[in-house]
Amino acid sequence: MNERDSEAVAAMLRARGYRIVADESDCDVLLLNTCSVRDSAEQKAIGKAANVSARKKRDPDFVLGILGCMAQNRGAELLDRLPDVDLIIGTQKFHAVPGYLDNLRAAREAGVPVGETIVDTAEEAGSQNTIRDHELTERQVTAFVSIQQGCDMHCSFCIVPKTRGDERSRPMDEIVAECRSLAERGVKEITLLGQIVTSFGRRDFEHRDGISPFVQLLERIDAINGIERIRFTSPHPRGFKQDLVEAYGRLPKLCEYVHLPMQSGSNRILRAMNRPYTREKYLEIVENLRRVRSDMYFSTDVIVGFPGETDDDFAETRALFEAVNYDMAYVFKYSIRSGTPAAEAGDQISDDVKEARNRELLGLLEANSIRRNKLLEGKTQEVLVEGRDKKGIRFTGRTRGNRVVHFDADDRLVGQLVPVTITRSTSSVLYGELQLAIV
Ligand code: SF4
């Protein structure tokens, strides 16, 4: 989500005549887009900003801005730690950044002393519709499309409703037009983004023949010529009703890869988290999806060490983690976020216990990923060729199940769907041979 927001701001700035430089030491304006989901992310951003702001002593015209979730969460209070920052811009004001920068620079060029830091963290109706411009690199084949912002769920550990505001969806026609324009520019794979994508349009559009607005959107993108694959993140388990589960069986471009945040496998902890499902319901969703697509790939988010999580609770999480057979997981040690209900709970879990539980799940994941990837050896997978790998020697792409594959290919194949036979694998990467003659 943050990458997408940064890209949209960069595109708006470029349209105003700004240039994006490759090295931060060459820039006149540096904007840090920040995350608040864990305290460590905020501390890292503050450390980086403090480091960069030292440059203002040598170069008073240098402009430093902090954008995004931490700006929204902390607002002007950030000035206690970062007094030299010029801009603090919240999550509903990304589109205002170019205007603020123009004013700041015009004032400086005119020799007008620039006063206070600009702090804008106000809510703005329709701000979700402003994340729409793209900065595509040459022959970019995958793109993120933001369809919805904010969340009304209020999970007790989560700061997102505070930093991203209430649930707001974009108009469906605008999203479809954006996807169509991306397809015309060569994009083959779209990942739809939102804090709770499966709730897309629930207040703005009617269900049609039992089909939710989110699935209607998937249907319309599936029909766009040139788009070959559709993914989305992040959904909520409660969004996986019959219509979405069945969509995996009838929409050919919808990839058989589901990110399904579990958070905990203990019903007691799920209740304390204010997550409105049980471990049984979660498993039923997984089974329903596997019934429609037996080759479904799953990833998840899990929090270990939530306040009050006992050994028995964790054992249930571990058991559910094993039962689902994940290909990928983001395991987080619970991080206190002030202002959330869980931060006030007694019975916080010690760092040692969190660490041990974290390691245990990561160990399971590693073993499982190795095992699942080994099963693909000798099999031929459809791979979307994204470009050269980091070393620039081989090519890289992804399977429909979102596994990264490295293989020898040719520049002409970038953007193509090609058959690749998997020859070896690690826990995170597959290696293969192209089953096409390159003429
Ligand atoms: S559904 Fe996701 S974004 Fe919304 S409050 Fe819960 S964890 Fe946060």
Side-chain angles (χ1 to χ4, degrees):
M1 197 96 198
N2 279 9
E3 262 183 55
R4 176 70 196 103
D5 295 337
S6 300
E7 183 200 6
V9 173
M12 291 177 223
L13 288 172
R14 200 186 285 278
R16 290 275 186 115
Y18 288 82
R19 208 158 47 84
I20 316 295
V21 293
D23 189 327
E24 74 177 58
S25 59
D26 294 334
C27 71
D28 303 312
V29 177
L30 193 144
L31 304 173
L32 288 174
N33 193 10
T34 57
C35 174
S36 280
V37 77
R38 281 177 292 164
D39 186 57
S40 57
E42 288 200 349
Q43 296 310 326
K44 199 167 155 188
I46 289 171
K48 172 75 185 176
N51 203 291
V52 171
S53 68
R55 187 173 150 190
K56 287 182 77 73
K57 306 249 176 326
R58 306 191 300 277
D59 178 4
D61 285 342
F62 171 64
V63 175
L64 173 60
I66 296 186
L67 319 183
C69 287
M70 184 175 75
Q72 188 74 39
N73 187 33
R74 298 192 175 215
E77 166 205 322
L78 274 173
L79 293 171
D80 297 342
R81 303 268 301 269
L82 302 165
D84 294 330
V85 165
D86 300 285
L87 297 170
I88 296 177
I89 307 292
T91 54
Q92 301 195 30
K93 292 292 183 174
F94 286 117
H95 60 285
V97 170
Y100 283 133
L101 281 178
D102 283 355
N103 293 345
L104 209 59
R105 292 179 62 253
R108 283 186 180 165
E109 273 158 27
V112 178
V114 179
E116 308 281 287
T117 302
I118 297 164
V119 180
D120 189 352
T121 55
E123 291 181 3
E124 185 176 318
S127 61
Q128 72 277 18
N129 304 333
T130 64
I131 305 298
R132 56 166 190 254
D133 298 332
H134 290 263
E135 275 272 299
L136 298 186
T137 55
E138 207 188 330
R139 304 185 77 188
Q140 184 172 326
V141 295
T142 68
F144 293 124
V145 172
S146 177
I147 65 168
Q148 175 272 331
Q149 296 261 344
C151 183
D152 291 347
M153 292 302 292
H154 299 283
C155 300
S156 64
F157 53 81
C158 185
I159 200 165
V160 164
K162 180 175 173 199
T163 58
R164 289 281 178 170
D166 297 337
E167 255 176 64
R168 288 115 50 220
S169 295
R170 291 180 61 197
M172 200 178 310
D173 288 347
E174 281 185 18
I175 298 168
V176 173
E178 184 175 325
C179 294
R180 205 172 283 131
S181 141
L182 287 167
E184 283 160 7
R185 294 166 73 185
V187 167
K188 299 284 166 55
E189 179 181 285
I190 297 280
T191 301
L192 302 176
L193 294 178
Q195 268 80 40
I196 180 158
V197 272
T198 38
S199 292
F200 167 79
R202 67 183 170 130
R203 298 201 181 93
D204 311 299
F205 305 98
E206 300 285 319
H207 273 58
R208 204 197 55 220
D209 301 329
I211 306 286
S212 66
F214 179 60
V215 176
Q216 290 173 38
L217 177 65
L218 294 177
E219 287 172 347
R220 290 185 62 184
I221 299 172
D222 192 76
I224 296 175
N225 277 340
I227 297 297
E228 303 286 356
R229 290 177 169 184
I230 307 167
R231 306 183 191 276
F232 57 84
T233 198
S234 202
H236 192 288
R238 68 182 266 166
F240 282 82
K241 308 260 173 16
Q242 190 76 353
D243 62 331
L244 180 53
V245 171
E246 284 173 358
Y248 283 91
R250 67 184 176 84
L251 300 181
K253 296 175 184 173
L254 183 58
C255 290
E256 53 275 23
Y257 171 89
V258 173
H259 181 72
L260 193 62
M262 177 232 278
Q263 308 299 9
S264 172
S266 153
N267 288 340
R268 199 181 69 81
I269 296 295
L270 285 171
R271 269 196 306 280
M273 288 176 162
N274 198 24
R275 301 280 293 179
Y277 53 89
T278 59
R279 60 181 282 120
E280 292 78 17
K281 181 67 195 168
Y282 184 94
L283 207 47
E284 186 187 314
I285 294 167
V286 170
E287 282 162 4
N288 288 344
L289 285 162
R290 284 216 161 105
R291 213 163 288 132
V292 173
R293 293 290 314 229
S294 58
D295 52 351
M296 188 69 88
Y297 291 74
F298 284 96
S299 64
T300 195
D301 299 321
V302 182
I303 295 172
V304 295
F306 185 81
E309 184 187 70
T310 63
D311 286 346
D312 286 349
D313 292 319
F314 177 67
E316 292 201 272
T317 296
R318 189 197 150 109
L320 188 55
F321 197 86
E322 283 185 295
V324 177
N325 220 352
Y326 294 109
D327 297 278
M328 176 54 194
Y330 301 93
V331 183
F332 301 101
K333 292 178 270 186
Y334 170 72
S335 166
I336 294 178
R337 308 311 292 119
S338 74
T340 61
E344 313 302 325
D347 216 1
Q348 296 286 338
I349 305 298
S350 75
D351 286 344
D352 289 352
V353 171
K354 284 184 199 170
E355 181 60 36
R357 291 176 183 170
N358 188 48
R359 266 205 312 269
E360 197 167 332
L361 290 191
L362 289 179
L364 280 179
L365 177 67
E366 166 93 1
N368 213 39
S369 302
I370 289 173
R371 196 182 56 75
R372 296 265 299 163
N373 282 350
K374 271 244 169 296
L375 293 174
L376 292 174
E377 291 181 12
K379 302 228 167 77
T380 300
Q381 295 278 299
E382 178 199 273
V383 173
L384 175 60
V385 187
E386 292 178 12
R388 288 183 181 267
D389 64 12
K390 282 196 186 120
K391 290 185 187 151
I393 302 166
R394 307 188 86 192
F395 284 75
T396 185
R398 281 170 198 267
T399 66
R400 285 177 58 96
N402 214 20
R403 312 312 286 166
V404 174
V405 191
H406 294 312
F407 51 99
D408 289 324
D410 184 283
D411 278 315
R412 286 169 297 174
L413 293 178
V414 173
Q416 305 292 313
L417 295 169
V418 296
V420 175
T421 300
I422 308 305
T423 50
R424 68 188 174 90
S425 62
T426 67
S427 59
S428 55
V429 178
L430 306 172
Y431 296 89
E433 274 172 17
L434 186 65
Q435 297 303 304
L436 269 185
I438 304 170
V439 186

